[in-house]
Amino acid sequence: MEKKSTTSEKSTSSRRDFVKAAGVTAAGFMIVPRHVLGGKGFTAPSDRLTVAGVGVGGKGTSDLASFAKSGKADIAYLCDVDDRRAATSIANYPKAKYYKDFREMFEKESKNFDAVSVSTPDHTHAVVAMAAMQLGKHVYVQKPMTHDIYEARKLTEAAAKYKVVTQMGNQGSSGDGVRTLHEWYDAGIIGDVDTVYIWTNRPIWPQGIPWPSEKPPVPKELDWDLWLGTAPKKDYVENLIPGSWRGWWDYGTGALGDLGCHLMEAPFRVLGLKYATDMQASVGSVFTAFGKRGIFPDSCPPSSHATLTFPKTAKTKGPVTMHWMDGGIKPERPEELGPNELFGDGNSGILFVGSKGKMMASEYAANPRLLPLTKMQEVKVKQKFARVPGSADGHYAQWVEGCIAGYGKMELSSPFELAGPLTEAILGANLAIRGADMPKAREDGKGFTYPGSNMKMLWDAQNMKVTNFDEVNQFVRRNYREGWSLGV
């Protein structure tokens, strides 16, 4: 008797097969001039973007809605491993064809769409985006761009190789706030910056906990194997979906992955930062009994403080030290800030420390302020940088317009050439955090030490490796589960 193929088996066609099958995507396509179709306000087919969404629940729902709101994007294909999460998008776009496996969708439909939006959990960002770029599709990828440093480097290279329009989903990079900060700095208002503090109240999901022991049945609407994707095979557990996967290293990248791209982008842009030279961290610990520290290697720690050093840039007089704090930890309030004045936005913030003064902003680099706040009435700087229409909300329409214009024809706020190094820095800080939380058994068998918490990890950016603490290099590039590949 012939064995019946499973859904999983059918969907494992190699990327080589579906890229080859779609290799002549544009053959025979004719662009109809706008004047032939006519009509005031009519958008010609050549001026519209056909989008396929992968991960269309939660953040994916709002991402697709924002593309559609641009008035120039058609949401034509939807893909999600969980029918429950996809329900809203399916209702919003009743004409869109729905798939569970992005590989099947790409194989069957790649001739019919122009661009892909990726809003899956972090651990599958890279494989979806790479497959799309290899098909010549423009890509929008939610933050962080990737789960691993190696993935970020390869996606950055691929964007240039395949000449596709890319954008990471850190909307603040399109905001007015970061451009105002940039103008203040370039005007010399706060002098030379050598230190930046960044903080957040995240995580707002459980961290520093053991992996659940219960093994409930998999919901019928969820393809658990596809959800796991590149990650190791594990039994289904509850409370990962929709958002608590962020606190587990196999799938998420902790508080840094969630908000780092929104908070670190401003100093990257303003100061011209790229690759760090070293990083160090301390982490919050959980004690399960008196004197007994819990060891939960699968879970991110409940709080952390990571420090990165960046070399001198064309915008600074020397190295820049960047402090990242999460879990409710904050830096000391600047003396120029009044005792009752809001520090950051109350939950998150960015503080630039310059030789002549300080400037501060909220999450997304919104609400930029000079310190003391009285300076806001005194300082007037001429606008130097063009604003994105719609500010942070215009981040989506900017990508749509960029895709329609074509590769290299329009400046975007967070293309992979900028988002890649930013993501690498964020994930580099995570290397230090994971290293600080890594136990080593004592030789006498009595407990553990944490050697990574007491060192500065030296980073070789060119070769993507820590040179003095090899234990963390395993996290630079994960080993994907069998059947999954980045295709490079």
Side-chain angles (χ1 to χ4, degrees), residues 106-425:
F106 284 6
E107 182 177 8
K108 292 181 177 179
E109 309 291 355
S110 62
K111 296 179 181 179
N112 303 320
F113 59 82
D114 310 306
V116 176
S117 172
V118 184
S119 303
T120 61
D122 301 351
H123 69 297
T124 50
H125 282 184
V127 289
V128 181
M130 181 64 80
M133 289 192 288
Q134 289 175 337
L135 289 168
K137 307 303 178 184
H138 309 300
V139 290
Y140 182 101
V141 181
Q142 259 308 326
K143 49 75 191 168
M145 185 172 132
T146 62
H147 184 279
D148 306 337
I149 292 173
Y150 174 81
E151 294 173 332
R153 187 72 60 90
K154 290 304 174 183
L155 260 61
T156 302
E157 293 170 357
K161 176 181 178 180
Y162 297 109
K163 300 188 184 308
V164 293
V165 177
T166 57
Q167 184 98 299
M168 182 168 70
N170 54 330
Q171 303 93 309
S173 63
S174 287
D176 294 353
V178 66
R179 286 156 180 78
T180 298
L181 292 168
H182 202 169
E183 288 160 353
W184 286 343
Y185 187 69
D186 283 4
I189 302 301
I190 66 167
D192 178 65
V193 165
D194 60 9
T195 306
V196 179
Y197 292 95
I198 299 171
W199 65 98
T200 176
N201 66 333
R202 304 293 171 99
I204 56 172
W205 50 83
Q207 288 189 183
I209 57 175
W211 183 254
S213 57
E214 297 82 6
K215 298 179 181 179
V218 179
K220 65 181 185 302
E221 301 91 349
L222 171 68
D223 188 320
W224 174 242
D225 187 70
L226 284 179
W227 190 93
L228 285 172
T230 60
K233 181 70 175 177
K234 286 186 178 180
D235 290 325
Y236 171 76
V237 296
E238 293 180 330
N239 300 320
L240 283 184
I241 305 169
S244 291
W245 51 264
R246 291 190 179 280
W248 300 99
W249 289 121
D250 278 343
Y251 321 113
T253 46
L256 262 161
D258 185 42
L259 277 192
C261 294
H262 289 313
L263 291 162
M264 286 173 61
E265 191 272 339
F268 256 69
R269 183 182 300 266
V270 171
L271 304 177
L273 306 179
K274 194 168 184 182
Y275 297 121
T277 56
D278 59 69
M279 48 267 191
Q280 56 188 299
S282 57
V283 300
S285 53
V286 177
F287 282 77
T288 58
F290 185 82
K292 184 179 180 181
R293 179 173 172 175
I295 298 175
F296 309 119
D298 296 325
S299 180
C300 309
S303 59
S304 63
H305 175 188
T307 305
L308 300 169
T309 305
F310 294 90
K312 178 185 180 300
T313 75
K315 305 287 290 294
T316 67
K317 293 182 179 179
V320 175
T321 301
M322 180 184 292
H323 295 268
W324 166 271
M325 302 175 180
D326 62 44
I329 300 171
K330 295 181 181 181
E332 182 181 0
R333 291 172 62 87
E335 60 183 14
E336 298 91 340
L337 191 67
N340 296 323
E341 290 174 339
L342 192 63
F343 191 21
D345 59 22
N347 291 324
S348 303
I350 310 164
L351 178 68
F352 293 79
V353 179
S355 57
K356 293 166 54 181
K358 299 181 178 73
M359 60 186 184
M360 176 178 69
S362 303
E363 192 177 312
Y364 286 37
N367 191 21
R369 286 150 285 171
L370 293 166
L371 299 181
L373 297 180
T374 52
K375 272 195 173 183
M376 297 293 292
Q377 307 302 320
E378 304 166 4
V379 175
K380 302 296 179 186
V381 173
K382 185 178 179 181
Q383 181 175 314
K384 178 179 178 181
F385 301 105
R387 288 350 188 213
V388 175
S391 192
D393 290 340
H395 195 63
Y396 297 90
Q398 185 194 60
W399 177 70
V400 172
E401 294 280 4
C403 293
I404 292 171
Y407 179 76
K409 299 294 179 60
M410 178 178 155
E411 182 179 351
L412 270 72
S413 298
S414 194
F416 286 1
E417 64 185 275
L418 301 178
L422 170 60
T423 300
E424 287 193 36

Side-chain angles (χ1 to χ4, degrees), residues 472-485:
V472 298
N473 287 321
Q474 62 183 299
F475 307 126
V476 173
R477 179 184 182 182
R478 286 175 298 148
N479 291 319
Y480 289 172
R481 187 160 58 111
E482 186 176 354
W484 293 87
S485 169

Side-chain angles (χ1 to χ4, degrees), residues 17 86 102 393 454 479 483:
D17 291 339
F102 78 90
D393 290 340
N454 296 303
N479 291 319

Side-chain angles (χ1 to χ4, degrees), residues 50-72:
T50 303
V51 177
V54 182
V56 299
K59 187 58 182 169
T61 305
S62 61
D63 284 345
L64 294 179
S66 295
F67 297 134
K69 187 179 178 181
S70 73
K72 294 186 178 182

